[in-house]
Amino acid sequence: MNNSGTIYGINGPVIYLKGETALKMSEMVHVGDEKLVGEVISLDSQTTTIQVYEETGGLRPGETVESTGAAVSVTLAPGILNNIFDGIERPLEMIAQEGGAFISRGVSVDSLDKTRKWETHLTVKVGDRLTPGTIIAEVPETRAILHKCMVPPDVYGQVVSVVPDGEYTIDETLVVIELRDGSKKELTMTQQWPIRVPRPVHHRYSASVPLVTGQRIIDTMFPIAKGGTAAIPGGFGTGKTMTQHQIAKWSDADIIVYIGCGERGNEMTQVLEEFGELEDPKTGNPLMDRTVLIANTSNMPVAAREASIYTGLTLAEYYRDMGYDVAIMADSTSRWAEALRELSGRLEEMPAEEGFPAYLASRLSAFYERAGMMQTLNGATGSVSIIGAVSPQGGDFSEPVTQNTKRFVRCFWGLDKSLAYARHFPAINWLTSYSEYVGDLSGWFTDNVSPKFVDYRNRLMTLLNQESSLMEIVKLIGGDVLPDDQKLTLEIAKVIRLGFLQQNAFHKDDTCVSLEKQFRMMDVILYLYKVSRKLIAMGMPMSVLKSEGIFERVIAIKYDVPNDNLQLLDMYKKDIDDFYNNVIAKNA
Amino acid sequence: MAIEYLGLSSINGPLVILEGVQDAFFDEIVEFVVDGNTRKMGRIVELYEDKAVIQVFEGTENMSLVNTHTKLSGHPMEVAVSPEMLGRTFNGIGQPIDGLGPVNTEYRKNVNGLPLNPVKREYPRNYINTGISAIDGLTTLIRGQKLPIFSGNGLPHDQLAAQIVKQASLGGDSDEDFAIVFGAMGVKHDVAEFFQKTFDESGVADHVCMFLNLANDPVVERLITPRVALTVAEYLAFEQNMHILVILTDMTSFAEALREVSSSKGEIPSRKGYPGYLYSELATIYERAGIIEEANGSVTQLPILTMPNDDITHPIPDLTGYITEGQIVLDRSLYGQSIYPPISILPSLSRLMKDGIGEGYTREDHQDLANQLFSSYAKVGEARNLASVIGEDELSPIDKKYLEFGKEFENRYIGQGPAENRTVIETLDLGWELLRLLPKEELDRIDTKIIDKYYKE
């Protein structure tokens, strides 16, 4: 048996080798004379099946397939951030330098720049005992992020020599250690890790800290924890990508991994341009400094689309191991599922629901379970949060990808077509969405924002739910016949919808809002509700209350109160008191 | 190496199988000679050692297992490209059918194209003034965008596309190199003729390159037509620095052809019998639009597709909407009320609009105004539903105002003449004029400062 083979059949991105080969499952191979990258996906005594990550046009039966001996892996070292890769970690900038504006095939480029010298500070000394995950060196990778080079998992040993601080490339030996069996091993900044294997951790923590996104409907209504999982399903045009962009821009994660999986090329270009210019609200550096983009646009080969999700996830886990909070935006997981379906169809596997393979659910669960807040091997705490967009066919949430995703995520932000049509953004439907983290995070909100935070949130939700049942009646008989207290409920719910839930991503103050402002906005809205209820109870009609214009003023808080001048919010309470006195004075 | 193979081992719909081939490669083009006189072309779609599955573009009529000679061409599907192609008409696989002889060039390009590297793309920002309010005001078309028209049978999508071509090409940009590539897949003769006539009348005919695969032309040819058209478009845009508007009609026929071929290959179907790779196939077409850094030209796509049974959730419009940068949806009930163009604005959307409008492009109030019109028009729908239950007389005064706004909006803003060309400022001012039918408190999507500036005018 040899570890190479000869092409027998070609069917789109799938190729077949005849006879027995020594290739291993998930091994990376080079296919044909152009050395296209491929992966072994099934083996039996007659046939080896390989999926190819590049266009297969031009391949001939009889060309050879060479083994590389390793599973499809990514290179982990400084240089990942502020970079854009394709689905198998090839830097698109380098590909462009080699091949111009269009991505040609068989391009062989290094994942990371091997010539660049990084300023390195060594953190171990001769005699230190190293265990997996021990930080051996620190490299300021970007202005915002200190890259911590670690001992790979499974390596134990004692340091026998260390280079002095200085400038090194990612392949130069920094530390030499003696392993337990007495042999020597050279450690560089670089690690290789197979993309389909989760990186090991010490143990998992339960969710307790929110990932603050600056988006009111998310932070207040349906919060996600650091290390949590969320799905954003929605038909086209409902704002999935927009919501993901907003979270990528404003969330308080340290690192963002943005996976454009089977989506539009222009969107990736937009992220590149925009994130290069926008400032990180925490550090003032360009957002790209904390971002890595994985771009496999819809017209790139389908097999690499399937891999892109795992590539992104592995990069995220690597930064988590350094003790960072990483958030993954996967846009969109449906395209990934469709890539599975496409390949499964080519392999003539028995289809389950809607042509998707039966293993769709297990793949999805394995993907989302790689999220979590972890104690890493070196004792630090880091997290990977996954926010996956889902593009259900026809906007119908009963389809298999949405349904299976729902089983494995704890946060569901359902986007609603009718909200999007009315340009209510973010178009997250407050009645169908949920977050299982509300309870887990209530302690944090109590300690860090206000003890009343969760209570206020629940009161807003109650009002919104009451509105929805009242609207059933209004739809049948009109709003005029409702008693005044119910009219007030509708009016306050409108204030909540327009003034609180709706958020303008293009407004400089409204695009990202601190938890404190969110809380105080709720406070003002609920105060208005309390005062109005008192007036209604005295028999004042709703029409009188509305004529004072206070409801419109509270709705406009999001625009009128700048984020750096929250004292203005105190004024509103005074205005509401004035409103109360005015109504009494005029109508007594 | 011009070996000719005699005979075939099987014929099934548009697919033939040839055994004993040597040195063929995947995606290679083959030439057939049937009965010693008819020439046909085909493409290798599957390959097993010496057995090739070949898709015949012209259909397999008259082919038998013995009367066919097959020759491998040694190259993938290519088309000759040249600036001379403007003003010419070709069939669906790029062969001239206007009687003016072959295109005089040696330069040929692979029709499959290559994916554009996102780092080399330039994000589209320049809007195209179409002179149609519903598009300019609410779903602005941006140069380098792909914006399909979702239509139904019998709706005036062709007139709309023709009006866009006419008004956009004769707009302020007429001094720049502007050209149209027109790809027809399975359309009726009348449709092709309509476009030809429109191009002639508007004086752009010598800037148009037409690829026609008509309804009675071979089905498989349709799978290649959009790729040929886009290859020419990319050449003109990125190598000749021209601004190209590509009109592809009808994408539904393309998808149908894909399904037909897939089922004769015996592939496992996914939704509604379409193959699992429908999304990827559509993406390789739609994604061939945009602007690249190193060229001055651009490719803007305006595909037209007819939604089967007017159903926007059907796989073809559905998958299209996930790839394209928005959509313009036509609506039968508006058309029934004689409103032209019958653009249903609520489901219509232009994703690139936000970056190509506003201060410096159109006017500062554009985005807020558009949001408000969308939001107010959505409320018109609610008021109408209520009126249909309790009667118009019983509505509250504010709901009555919405009804009035809705009527005016549909007649004056959406509706306009097929030759009426409005400037973007006219469109914006008209929007404010209509919003003034509503009380100021109802305008909840607009920044307070902008309301103060424009509402009272």
Side-chain angles (χ1 to χ4, degrees):
Chain A
M1 283 209 283
N2 54 14
N3 51 3
S4 67
T6 309
I7 300 177
Y8 157 71
I10 305 160
N11 179 6
V14 174
I15 64 166
Y16 302 98
L17 311 183
K18 213 172 193 176
E20 228 165 302
T21 55
L23 296 173
K24 295 184 286 248
M25 271 302 271
S26 303
E27 181 172 344
M28 188 169 115
V29 291
H30 287 141
V31 178
D33 302 341
E34 288 183 277
K35 294 202 181 306
L36 310 179
V37 179
E39 181 182 3
V40 180
I41 51 175
S42 103
L43 287 168
D44 64 35
S45 60
Q46 269 97 51
T47 323
T48 303
T49 311
I50 291 171
Q51 62 177 0
V52 183
Y53 291 135
E54 301 182 65
E55 280 302 323
T56 48
L59 276 185
R60 297 166 201 268
E63 290 185 28
T64 52
V65 172
E66 281 168 33
S67 147
T68 61
V72 176
S73 331
V74 288
T75 305
L76 302 168
I80 293 172
L81 293 178
N82 195 1
N83 211 338
I84 175 167
F85 299 100
D86 75 354
I88 45 175
E89 210 204 10
R90 291 184 301 185
L92 288 174
E93 284 287 355
M94 301 303 292
I95 292 180
Q97 279 177 24
E98 292 245 323
F102 294 90
I103 300 176
S104 45
R105 302 179 320 152
V107 188
S108 164
V109 291
D110 293 325
S111 291
L112 300 172
D113 189 346
K114 289 188 171 170
T115 54
R116 177 163 172 187
K117 288 199 177 265
W118 296 92
E119 187 190 320
T120 312
H121 166 63
L122 276 295
T123 52
V124 290
K125 54 184 189 305
V126 174
D128 282 357
R129 291 195 174 278
L130 302 187
T131 53
T134 309
I135 294 162
I136 55 169
E138 291 176 341
V139 176
E141 184 175 358
T142 64
R143 276 152 285 189
I145 300 296
L146 189 66
H147 192 108
K148 297 165 186 166
C149 305
M150 294 168 291
V151 177
D154 318 329
V155 175
Y156 295 83
Q158 195 167 17
V159 178
V160 288
S161 76
V162 183
V163 296
D165 289 2
E167 297 205 327
Y168 300 97
T169 66
I170 58 172
D171 279 341
E172 282 176 84
T173 303
L174 302 178
V175 176
V176 178
I177 58 172
E178 190 177 286
L179 302 180
R180 283 166 177 176
D181 61 5
S183 64
K184 298 251 182 349
K185 186 176 171 68
E186 297 178 345
L187 298 179
T188 65
M189 293 181 203
T190 314
Q191 297 185 27
Q192 299 283 339
W193 193 262
I195 59 172
R196 296 182 199 277
V197 182
R199 284 176 64 84
V201 292
H202 195 270
H203 71 272
R204 186 184 281 266
Y205 292 113
S206 57
S208 60
V209 182
L211 181 74
V212 181
T213 63
Q215 311 303 306
R216 288 185 292 263
I217 186 153
I218 294 177
D219 290 347
T220 302
M221 295 298 176
F222 310 108
I224 174 173
K226 287 206 169 88
T229 49
I232 315 179
F236 57 83
T238 48
K240 292 181 297 293
T241 304
M242 202 54 215
T243 311
Q244 294 223 339
H245 281 195
Q246 283 296 97
I247 299 173
K249 279 180 203 165
W250 306 120
S251 74
D252 65 347
D254 300 310
I255 309 255
I256 303 289
V257 178
Y258 195 102
I259 310 170
C261 173
E263 288 289 313
R264 303 175 184 87
N266 275 334
E267 274 170 7
M268 297 315 291
T269 310
Q270 184 195 3
V271 174
L272 260 184
E273 270 187 28
E274 210 176 325
F275 283 33
E277 286 161 17
L278 277 176
E279 278 181 10
D280 180 350
K282 273 196 303 185
T283 60
N285 295 319
L287 278 174
M288 271 312 285
D289 273 10
R290 63 161 193 180
T291 308
V292 49
L293 302 177
I294 311 285
N296 183 273
T297 57
S298 54
N299 54 342
M300 291 189 193
V302 68
R305 190 187 307 161
E306 195 265 333
S308 64
I309 288 275
Y310 295 102
T311 300
L313 198 44
T314 310
L315 297 182
E317 285 178 342
Y318 176 62
Y319 281 95
R320 172 205 66 200
D321 290 348
M322 297 178 203
Y324 290 115
D325 292 316
V326 187
I328 296 182
M329 308 295 138
D331 186 11
S332 135
T333 57
S334 293
R335 302 292 158 243
W336 168 65
E338 278 164 18
L340 281 182
R341 175 168 72 184
E342 195 172 325
L343 292 164
S344 159
R346 302 263 189 198
L347 298 174
E348 297 176 1
E349 291 171 340
M350 182 71 79
E353 226 177 323
E354 293 203 25
F356 285 104
Y359 47 79
L360 173 69
S362 57
R363 293 282 174 91
L364 275 170
S365 65
F367 168 67
Y368 281 108
E369 277 307 289
R370 283 173 78 171
M373 169 85 88
M374 311 288 189
Q375 190 184 63
T376 64
L377 294 178
N378 56 30
T381 305
S383 66
V384 171
S385 316
I386 301 180
I387 294 155
V390 182
S391 320
Q393 300 156 358
D396 170 15
F397 290 179
S398 67
E399 56 92 41
V401 182
T402 316
Q403 282 309 312
N404 283 314
T405 302
K406 244 179 148 170
R407 291 165 52 206
F408 309 117
V409 299
R410 294 188 62 197
C411 221
F412 185 81
W413 300 324
L415 299 178
D416 187 320
K417 212 169 213 173
S418 58
L419 289 175
Y421 283 179
R423 300 313 190 252
H424 172 115
F425 287 117
I428 296 173
N429 184 319
W430 48 91
L431 300 172
T432 57
S433 302
Y434 59 81
S435 166
E436 293 175 13
Y437 295 111
V438 177
D440 296 342
L441 299 175
S442 64
W444 189 93
F445 285 122
T446 303
D447 297 344
N448 292 280
V449 189
S450 161
K452 294 184 199 148
F453 188 87
V454 177
D455 175 44
Y456 280 10
R457 179 249 174 215
N458 292 341
R459 282 161 67 183
L460 292 198
M461 279 306 285
T462 311
L463 283 165
L464 289 167
N465 278 291
Q466 283 170 355
E467 182 202 29
S468 139
S469 24
L470 287 175
M471 283 314 280
E472 296 294 317
I473 304 170
V474 172
K475 265 184 213 153
L476 290 177
I477 55 171
D480 276 0
V481 293
L482 291 180
D484 277 314
D485 61 334
Q486 295 189 345
K487 279 187 191 158
L488 174 64
T489 307
L490 290 184
E491 198 60 32
I492 285 290
K494 183 178 159 197
V495 173
I496 299 171
R497 276 189 289 117
L498 300 179
F500 192 79
L501 299 184
Q502 193 188 43
Q503 195 164 348
N504 187 342
F506 304 108
H507 190 279
K508 70 174 170 42
D509 284 314
D510 204 31
T511 184
C512 169
V513 179
S514 67
L515 281 177
E516 191 197 347
K517 186 174 173 190
Q518 297 186 21
F519 172 73
R520 294 179 65 172
M521 284 171 77
M522 287 200 282
D523 190 34
V524 171
I525 292 170
L526 288 169
Y527 188 67
L528 175 64
Y529 181 51
K530 185 171 136 196
V531 168
S532 307
R533 239 185 3 187
K534 226 189 277 175
L535 288 169
I536 297 282
M538 286 179 201
M540 302 291 173
M542 198 54 214
S543 52
V544 171
L545 269 63
K546 271 166 90 169
S547 65
E548 295 288 319
I550 186 76
F551 293 98
E552 284 77 28
R553 284 208 52 210
V554 172
I555 288 175
I557 288 181
K558 58 182 183 178
Y559 295 142
D560 295 345
V561 177
N563 290 337
D564 50 9
N565 194 3
L566 295 185
Q567 296 92 303
L568 281 179
L569 278 162
D570 297 331
M571 252 177 47
Y572 283 86
K573 282 203 173 176
K574 215 184 120 274
D575 289 355
I576 293 168
D577 290 335
D578 290 348
F579 149 76
Y580 178 81
N581 295 330
N582 275 346
V583 173
I584 301 266
K586 278 193 209 156
N587 301 284
Chain B
M1 54 146 267
I3 307 174
E4 277 198 17
Y5 300 92
L6 180 59
L8 299 168
S9 52
S10 94
I11 303 178
N12 173 17
L15 300 176
V16 300
I17 294 176
L18 181 64
E19 288 185 47
V21 285
Q22 285 165 24
D23 214 28
F25 61 83
F26 184 67
D27 217 23
E28 182 170 358
I29 290 296
V30 299
E31 285 158 18
F32 302 102
V33 179
V34 182
D35 278 335
N37 50 30
T38 322
R39 292 184 161 276
K40 290 180 192 250
M41 268 164 86
R43 185 172 73 101
I44 297 180
V45 292
E46 272 178 59
L47 198 54
Y48 298 98
E49 209 152 28
D50 63 346
K51 180 174 130 187
V53 182
I54 305 169
Q55 195 178 72
V56 184
F57 294 137
E58 288 90 346
T60 46
E61 289 81 16
N62 291 329
M63 292 172 90
S64 81
L65 297 183
V66 290
N67 71 350
T68 307
H69 291 250
T70 312
K71 207 162 74 180
L72 298 176
S73 71
H75 57 76
M77 182 68 196
E78 285 176 340
V79 61
V81 289
S82 150
E84 286 171 31
M85 295 178 89
L86 293 174
R88 301 281 310 266
T89 306
F90 304 85
N91 70 4
I93 48 176
Q95 296 160 338
I97 50 169
D98 51 5
L100 298 175
V103 179
N104 190 14
T105 174
E106 287 298 301
Y107 191 40
R108 301 175 73 84
K109 285 181 81 87
N110 185 338
V111 298
N112 294 312
L114 289 166
L116 250 178
N117 193 327
V119 305
K120 284 288 179 184
R121 274 182 188 267
E122 203 171 294
Y123 190 69
R125 286 182 197 278
N126 284 325
Y127 82 102
I128 297 180
N129 193 357
T130 65
I132 296 164
S133 292
I135 297 177
D136 289 348
L138 302 171
T139 52
T140 319
L141 177 64
I142 306 288
R143 182 165 282 161
Q145 186 174 19
K146 37 193 181 288
L147 189 65
I149 299 175
F150 285 9
S151 183
N153 298 312
L155 292 177
H157 41 265
D158 297 329
Q159 284 89 321
L160 179 61
Q163 189 180 2
I164 294 173
V165 166
K166 238 188 285 180
Q167 298 182 166
S169 55
L170 297 180
D173 307 320
S174 52
D175 52 333
E176 289 186 69
D177 280 328
F178 183 91
I180 296 152
V181 172
F182 180 84
M185 290 89 75
V187 301
K188 295 173 287 245
H189 278 93
D190 321 350
V191 173
E193 207 174 281
F194 169 80
F195 275 101
Q196 209 141 26
K197 212 172 87 197
T198 314
F199 296 147
D200 283 339
E201 279 168 5
S202 50
V204 293
D206 55 344
H207 281 276
V208 182
C209 177
M210 295 184 92
F211 295 91
L212 302 179
N213 167 278
L214 300 178
N216 55 352
D217 286 339
V219 170
V220 184
E221 204 178 278
R222 255 162 240 175
L223 295 175
I224 294 292
T225 310
R227 297 183 209 278
V228 172
L230 286 164
T231 306
V232 174
E234 281 176 353
Y235 165 77
L236 293 173
F238 303 142
E239 294 182 35
Q240 301 294 323
N241 295 320
M242 299 176 88
H243 290 294
I244 306 295
L245 181 65
V246 182
I247 297 175
L248 298 172
T249 178
D250 168 349
M251 290 305 290
T252 307
S253 310
F254 171 81
E256 296 291 341
L258 201 65
R259 177 165 68 178
E260 195 175 323
V261 172
S262 164
S263 95
S264 50
K265 275 162 83 178
E267 289 173 337
I268 293 169
S270 59
R271 262 169 98 199
K272 292 208 173 174
Y274 293 96
Y277 49 80
L278 177 62
Y279 180 83
S280 301
E281 281 286 321
L282 288 173
T284 52
I285 291 171
Y286 294 134
E287 273 290 319
R288 292 172 79 175
I291 308 179
I292 60 173
E293 278 173 9
E294 47 219 46
N296 292 323
S298 63
V299 176
T300 309
Q301 269 192 38
L302 207 63
I304 297 170
L305 63 88
T306 47
M307 299 182 279
N309 197 24
D310 292 355
D311 177 11
I312 199 170
T313 65
H314 184 281
I316 302 170
D318 189 45
L319 296 179
T320 298
Y322 279 121
I323 306 163
T324 54
E325 283 141 349
Q327 63 276 339
I328 295 171
V329 184
L330 302 192
D331 179 70
R332 208 169 285 281
S333 76
L334 282 178
Y335 188 54
Q337 297 164 50
S338 305
I339 293 168
Y340 172 88
I343 296 177
S344 173
I345 66 152
L346 293 182
S348 296
L349 166 77
S350 164
R351 289 167 191 271
L352 300 184
M353 169 178 180
K354 59 187 191 302
D355 297 298
I357 60 167
E359 221 168 343
Y361 297 100
T362 54
R363 204 167 71 185
E364 50 170 350
D365 56 321
H366 194 155
Q367 184 72 58
D368 279 6
L369 175 64
N371 287 345
Q372 186 62 53
L373 287 171
F374 275 119
S375 151
S376 300
Y377 188 63
K379 282 197 192 136
V380 171
E382 288 166 23
R384 281 184 182 157
N385 286 342
L386 190 55
S388 68
V389 178
I390 60 171
E392 215 170 292
D393 287 351
E394 302 294 316
L395 289 182
S396 64
I398 182 72
D399 282 340
K400 282 185 185 154
K401 280 197 176 134
Y402 270 111
L403 285 190
E404 192 197 338
F405 166 78
K407 209 169 126 226
E408 291 290 307
F409 180 77
E410 285 169 0
N411 285 322
R412 293 172 53 202
Y413 194 92
I414 301 180
Q416 69 182 82
E420 190 180 346
N421 191 353
R422 295 182 188 155
T423 68
V424 70
I425 300 298
E426 277 167 6
T427 295
L428 293 176
D429 288 345
L430 179 61
W432 282 106
E433 194 186 321
L434 292 169
L435 282 183
R436 265 174 240 132
L437 295 170
L438 299 172
K440 201 171 175 177
E441 308 84 84
E442 288 295 315
L443 307 187
D444 45 32
R445 301 299 161 94
I446 308 185
D447 198 297
T448 329
K449 287 183 210 97
I450 289 186
I451 296 194
D452 291 344
K453 186 165 166 193
Y454 290 95
Y455 184 76
K456 59 183 167 213
E457 270 177 47

